[in-house]
Amino acid sequence: MEQPTMKEVVSNDRLITGLSEHNDQDIDRLCTNAMRGLAMDAIQQANSGHPGMPLGIADTAYVLWTRFMKHNPSDPDWANRDRFVLSAGHGSMLLYSLLHLSGYDLSLDDIKQFRQWGSKTAGHPEYRRTPGVETTTGPLGQGVANAVGMALAERYMATMFNRPNYPIVDHFTYVVCSDGDLMEGISYEAASLAGHLQLGKLICLYDSNGISIDGSTDLTFTENTSQRFLAHGWHVQEIDGHAMAEVERALEQARADTTRPSLIICRTHIGYGSPNRQDSAKSHGEALGVEEVRLTKQALGWPEEPLFYVPDEVYASMRQVITTGTQQQRDWDDLMGRYRESYPDLAVLWDHVQAGDLPDNWDTALPTFEDSMGAAATRSVSGQIINALAPLLPTLIGGSADLTGSNNTEIKGTDALQGDNFAGRNIFFGVREHAMGAILNGMALHGGMLPYCGTFLIFSDYMRPAMRLAAMMGLQVIYVFTHDSIGLGEDGPTHQPIEQLATLRAVPNLHVIRPADAYETAIAWRAALEHRDGPTALILTRQKVPMLKRGVLNGQSHGPLAAASGALRGGYVLYSPPKPDVLLLASGSEVSLALEATRLLAERNIAARVVSMPCWELFEQQDQVYRESVLPPGLTARVAIEAGLTFGWERYTGSRGVAIGIDHFGASAPYQDLYKQFGLTAEQIVKVAMQLVTA
Amino acid sequence: MEQPTMKEVVSNDRLITGLSEHNDQDIDRLCTNAMRGLAMDAIQQANSGHPGMPLGIADTAYVLWTRFMKHNPSDPDWANRDRFVLSAGHGSMLLYSLLHLSGYDLSLDDIKQFRQWGSKTAGHPEYRRTPGVETTTGPLGQGVANAVGMALAERYMATMFNRPNYPIVDHFTYVVCSDGDLMEGISYEAASLAGHLQLGKLICLYDSNGISIDGSTDLTFTENTSQRFLAHGWHVQEIDGHAMAEVERALEQARADTTRPSLIICRTHIGYGSPNRQDSAKSHGEALGVEEVRLTKQALGWPEEPLFYVPDEVYASMRQVITTGTQQQRDWDDLMGRYRESYPDLAVLWDHVQAGDLPDNWDTALPTFEDSMGAAATRSVSGQIINALAPLLPTLIGGSADLTGSNNTEIKGTDALQGDNFAGRNIFFGVREHAMGAILNGMALHGGMLPYCGTFLIFSDYMRPAMRLAAMMGLQVIYVFTHDSIGLGEDGPTHQPIEQLATLRAVPNLHVIRPADAYETAIAWRAALEHRDGPTALILTRQKVPMLKRGVLNGQSHGPLAAASGALRGGYVLYSPPKPDVLLLASGSEVSLALEATRLLAERNIAARVVSMPCWELFEQQDQVYRESVLPPGLTARVAIEAGLTFGWERYTGSRGVAIGIDHFGASAPYQDLYKQFGLTAEQIVKVAMQLVTA
């Protein structure tokens, strides 16, 4: 399709000299030029950023924001707003321009601080830093999957809360994505699931400019995108992204198709308007340069000075959304008011889940366990807990990446969530771990939801980028990672986590909890539900582990074990003689080994303390007095035991201590053989402890 | 399409009683039943494994192996063999049956040891453990991308070595994949690139049985697979995977299409033959049970006893490939002999690259650097090194995930590798990090290649599963990870690695090298090229770092710095006064900070040793005497400095030492601001060192 030449886009004379005489088309150009001007100036001032995308997709985004998006800049948190995700987060100045010009709490001074320390206008959009930013984006593909999660949450919440004539949850989710987003595997996974789930209120605007950082997409990305999305079951349109009427018509049609998610392929020119950089990879990732900014403004018919120029007409036009959005929200408030009268119980529940509150005494629903209970896999106990909590927490929903039975993630007695049944609480994510993680983020970002998901611990590697963003955004999502060590046995090294515990502990703001028995598993779930400002990974066994009997003597040689509630502090003294000679630390399935070693050591007149350490992050949050009460500085004979990498345990063993673990890949064999072959035995602990004590 | 009933498949009587009278069809059934019998018996004996897939795809795989595959069981390493990848690695017993029955060095006793400690028949196929296994599979999607790498390597090697009438590199790459493989994002990424590159000799057999672990694929995977692969530019066929004539015809057509990779959608019945588990997820991941094995054998017309039954006719028939394969290899040897005479130089090169040898004195090509050289980004130095080595190492090829210029991975003066130009040495992987990693594995597995790839360090998170497999398989692949810290500045926390150094160090058998300056960058590349049995990650700066002047006094206060060759030992004393009071450890861009701190400390009469620690893994391989010469046990006042997580540094700082790092996510700002804000300054090092020394 022919693109208008730059000269045709607008008549310089008319725009610059005749601002007061514009017609509708003029104001559109004025607004999009203001957006482009702000993007260029901010990036130039920072001498850092990505101008190509804001220049290229401005027309499309402008149409969406001014003619379709339901939002209220005065209240970015309005529950029923349309969601907007800029998956191509490098184009952050597009979003900041829109937010500023639409009247969000983002000033021109903020724009001028683009990419500076402490500013509201970070290099990539950051959730919670900037009002109106719905999710942190930048790592490509994540935003697309976040949007799928938001759209899924909308359908789930709508199904739960809407009643005839009370569409209190009823909004679209829009996402703008780039070539790069669509090259990432996560975008295929997410799109495939979105098509399957018939998420008709998800609309993706694809900024198809044919350019990525390395040059033309012809270099590597020549698939038929339209056909690809059709294969996923999407509604697909292809338009000129600079032709506002086409954008408008396409958005109307996309919104009208309520059973298929929509892809609108918007053909655009990256770096639109830049005489020397338009349609070039050069416009992608660096400031245009002072001279080229000048030339581009000329070409667009925009005054070169002042920088950060916004005519009053632009504000007047684009901030009309404050009025309309406020009115829309007021109407919704009225609706909600009537809803409260008609459905008081639902309204109370609505308030609860919107606030993210847990019901009073929710924890009384946690199953209680008995010392007399036999050995049990912690994954199985976790399944019991999920099912005990589910009736109390109606927005606790989740699923697995095709390992539902193994992960014990099913909420029994409820349906599969499907395109024709959004009352279902069991999501079948498919073997799509990466999208699963990012969809969970979208669900949490949407609000009202308490999402969890499961896979084998080893496959957390497939979803790390999404987990990192959950941690960065401080989202409450819960990962149920089962099959947590060589304890899974025969499936072998490809399936046996070795370094995964260490690498998850390395993620800031992610709580990693590896309970030792059923008691601690209940504590782990409690901690996860109470960890409101970040994700939690529950690390659970495939194999059965003994119940650590709390109320009675453990074996012949030592007194009762401490209550599992100590696990809430991350680490606690599970058992200690009055004067321990040696300290054994362990997590999960290895705690029972440590206890067994304690018994054997006692036979040799060596007194061992056992510290159960299910969660390093929680332990680090305790004060020094507590930490030293658990790990007395004077007790330097320490042995850590964990069926994983020893990496990092030095923090607790100290210079003199020793960590017993597995610093190599696993092997395929029955797990009992592996524990023996790899030296994870009570006998080995005894040997190492003896060496330390007698050294 | 109608499937034959089980009764129709074979007549029990004839098979069991009339073995000597079979016709061709009988022998086919006999062989596939033997395959199925071995799979069922081995899995039942281990009481662990995945019978559904070996039962389901046996017919298809049998046709491929007996009528198409060019291979020689007597020499699994024959360079010009067809490659076979079982991407659905959980179906390992399919592959073990084929290998055993075809005459590879895998005995019936080996089969009987399925999934036992030390056996050749691990739970999932393991490269180097079992002759004939081309790659380690299990984590889904990886094998598909490995196969793309193998097919790419075939084209590259063919282009380099083949001459008219000398097609010495000329083979197909076959891959069998499952629904699960095709749900994973990596499979889309890899398929998209394979289609773009027109890898016509890649043939993918998709075991489409409509069942995944959670049940019917209708639960979550309903995309149009045929349309999807057509969108990727593939040749697509759909057949009955149990109808051998259809399989044969489809394979012929797939092979005939030399410009498009082929997908053959083989509709099969999971658990084929099992009266109670066929077409059920129950057959997927657990042994059938003794009784069901019995019933299945009955249904297939197979004797219930003996277990592991293989009629002589089956061996006689399937081991014909030893004869034909040996003859094929002999013909190829003859061809190679004549090639050696016609193209002696190429033949020498062939031998070199097949052996993986570096040319004599290759290292003289490494660029030399001078103290007088100004500050330089280590990524830029790395680019110089790649370009200096490229002429000497013609199978050193690589590329970037759309960050070629930023990663400095381009081999200048050579072409882009494209479908019409496999002489190109620059691979444009697109924004497909995960597939890139796994494609690299395939290239390395193919043999002859020395592949590298680049992206930002943060995006190593996208490719971890592939990197883990490279480490597990011991493949020499090289990762060029640039933008290695907050030193990338304005792009902000989504792009700033924090935990990535720690999490890469956590991967067994992966060398992680973070050089401090140009000198150490050359050493890092040397170490990477000499690390033959595992991957190496080079961790490089975006920002310029000072040249650490080796031959002259560093500042006013201390003597010459040690030569960078010490970096080959992972860590070395860069500078030390005779009697250091404190020890500073650092890597990469922070080494210069440590040196600066040393100067400031000297002004305060505190003598500091600086240890540059670019590679923990290499350091750990040194003997204790060396390690203690670098880190004297008596010198417990230690400060580690690294612009990343402190996690793990306790190993070297000891109980008394302190690590200065960043234990939270980064921020968007100019990097100099970030270093100050986050306390990574010489002044902070001085402060901490003073506290330690005076404590």
Side-chain angles (χ1 to χ4, degrees), chain B residues 114-291:
Chain B
F114 183 54
R115 294 189 157 221
Q116 304 308 304
W117 175 259
S119 85
K120 280 174 156 177
T121 46
H124 292 79
E126 294 179 22
Y127 179 64
R128 287 188 170 141
R129 176 176 292 279
T130 315
V133 169
E134 299 277 7
T135 177
T136 298
T137 50
L140 290 169
Q142 300 292 329
V144 173
N146 293 164
V148 172
M150 293 174 183
L152 190 162
E154 195 265 353
R155 286 293 81 203
Y156 184 80
M157 298 285 285
T159 306
M160 175 177 294
F161 288 105
N162 289 359
R163 290 296 178 268
N165 300 318
Y166 290 101
I168 61 171
V169 183
D170 180 16
H171 66 79
F172 286 89
T173 300
Y174 298 102
V175 54
V176 167
C177 75
S178 63
D179 295 299
D181 285 297
L182 296 191
M183 289 191 235
E184 290 284 7
I186 186 176
S187 71
Y188 297 84
E189 293 178 4
S192 180
L193 186 58
H196 171 79
L197 292 177
Q198 303 169 33
L199 297 174
K201 292 167 86 176
L202 171 65
I203 296 175
C204 181
L205 296 153
Y206 163 30
D207 179 24
S208 176
N209 55 37
I211 297 290
S212 66
I213 295 176
D214 276 351
S216 164
T217 50
D218 286 346
L219 279 170
T220 188
F221 187 55
T222 49
E223 66 180 28
N224 184 327
T225 309
S226 171
Q227 191 174 17
R228 156 185 166 182
F229 276 81
L230 289 171
H232 287 324
W234 285 50
H235 169 232
V236 178
Q237 300 171 81
E238 186 159 3
I239 62 164
D240 173 358
H242 298 292
M244 293 194 187
E246 286 193 40
V247 175
E248 194 166 338
R249 197 160 49 240
L251 279 166
E252 277 163 5
Q253 291 182 10
R255 290 157 58 103
D257 189 326
T258 57
T259 58
R260 290 182 298 173
S262 276
L263 180 76
I264 304 176
I265 303 173
C266 307
R267 285 192 314 281
T268 65
H269 295 282
I270 191 169
Y272 182 87
S274 164
N276 299 301
R277 297 208 167 180
Q278 177 175 309
D279 297 323
S280 154
K282 278 208 157 197
S283 73
H284 172 88
E286 56 184 83
L288 294 176
V290 172
E291 175 63 10

Side-chain angles (χ1 to χ4, degrees), chain A residues 1 49 54 138 140 185 254 293 311 331-332 379 391 418 520 594 624 651 689:
Chain A
M1 183 173 299
L140 289 169
V293 169
D331 293 344
W332 183 85
R379 64 173 168 142
Q418 293 290 350
E520 283 193 10
Q624 189 175 353
R651 174 164 298 178

Side-chain angles (χ1 to χ4, degrees), chain B residues 190-507:
Chain B
S192 180
L193 186 58
H196 171 79
L197 292 177
Q198 303 169 33
L199 297 174
K201 292 167 86 176
L202 171 65
I203 296 175
C204 181
L205 296 153
Y206 163 30
D207 179 24
S208 176
N209 55 37
I211 297 290
S212 66
I213 295 176
D214 276 351
S216 164
T217 50
D218 286 346
L219 279 170
T220 188
F221 187 55
T222 49
E223 66 180 28
N224 184 327
T225 309
S226 171
Q227 191 174 17
R228 156 185 166 182
F229 276 81
L230 289 171
H232 287 324
W234 285 50
H235 169 232
V236 178
Q237 300 171 81
E238 186 159 3
I239 62 164
D240 173 358
H242 298 292
M244 293 194 187
E246 286 193 40
V247 175
E248 194 166 338
R249 197 160 49 240
L251 279 166
E252 277 163 5
Q253 291 182 10
R255 290 157 58 103
D257 189 326
T258 57
T259 58
R260 290 182 298 173
S262 276
L263 180 76
I264 304 176
I265 303 173
C266 307
R267 285 192 314 281
T268 65
H269 295 282
I270 191 169
Y272 182 87
S274 164
N276 299 301
R277 297 208 167 180
Q278 177 175 309
D279 297 323
S280 154
K282 278 208 157 197
S283 73
H284 172 88
E286 56 184 83
L288 294 176
V290 172
E291 175 63 10
E292 187 68 13
V293 168
R294 205 177 58 74
L295 294 173
T296 307
K297 287 181 177 174
Q298 274 184 10
L300 291 170
W302 198 242
E304 294 168 30
E305 301 279 348
L307 299 183
F308 301 98
Y309 173 56
V310 182
D312 290 343
E313 290 89 336
V314 168
Y315 284 129
S317 172
M318 290 188 72
R319 292 190 174 175
Q320 287 173 20
V321 69
I322 301 178
T323 310
T324 56
T326 301
Q327 187 56 48
Q328 285 170 322
Q329 184 168 359
R330 201 171 290 143
D331 293 345
W332 183 86
D333 286 342
D334 291 346
L335 181 74
M336 197 69 207
R338 297 194 298 279
Y339 181 84
R340 286 183 189 286
E341 290 172 15
S342 302
Y343 303 99
D345 293 349
L346 274 176
V348 169
L349 181 60
W350 171 266
D351 291 338
H352 264 298
V353 302
Q354 287 296 316
D357 290 339
L358 298 172
D360 291 342
N361 304 319
W362 68 274
D363 50 352
T364 57
L366 281 170
T368 52
F369 300 103
E370 305 277 339
D371 278 2
S372 59
M373 203 174 112
T378 54
R379 64 172 168 145
S380 147
V381 175
S382 168
Q384 279 181 257
I385 294 168
I386 290 172
N387 280 278
L389 292 174
L392 258 77
L393 304 173
T395 61
L396 178 77
I397 81 166
S400 161
D402 197 39
L403 292 166
T404 301
S406 297
N407 300 143
N408 296 85
T409 45
E410 187 184 1
I411 300 180
K412 294 182 200 301
T414 68
D415 294 338
L417 183 143
Q418 293 290 350
D420 58 1
N421 185 6
F422 282 102
R425 290 178 70 176
N426 294 301
I427 306 174
F428 289 88
F429 286 103
V431 192
R432 303 180 181 110
E433 297 84 2
H434 199 177
M436 176 170 74
I439 288 171
L440 238 64
N441 292 351
M443 292 166 69
L445 286 161
H446 181 273
M449 311 289 286
L450 195 48
Y452 67 92
C453 70
T455 185
F456 290 163
L457 174 56
I458 193 72
F459 300 131
S460 62
D461 275 6
Y462 275 72
M463 52 191 285
R464 283 188 70 90
M467 297 173 67
R468 184 175 207 257
L469 285 165
M472 193 180 292
M473 290 191 268
L475 302 180
Q476 183 173 31
V477 296
I478 301 173
Y479 308 112
V480 178
F481 291 141
T482 70
H483 296 59
D484 72 343
S485 74
I486 55 165
L488 64 84
E490 292 90 342
D491 271 346
T494 54
H495 285 55
Q496 289 163 359
I498 295 292
E499 72 277 23
Q500 280 64 31
L501 269 168
T503 59
L504 291 178
R505 285 172 182 147
V507 179

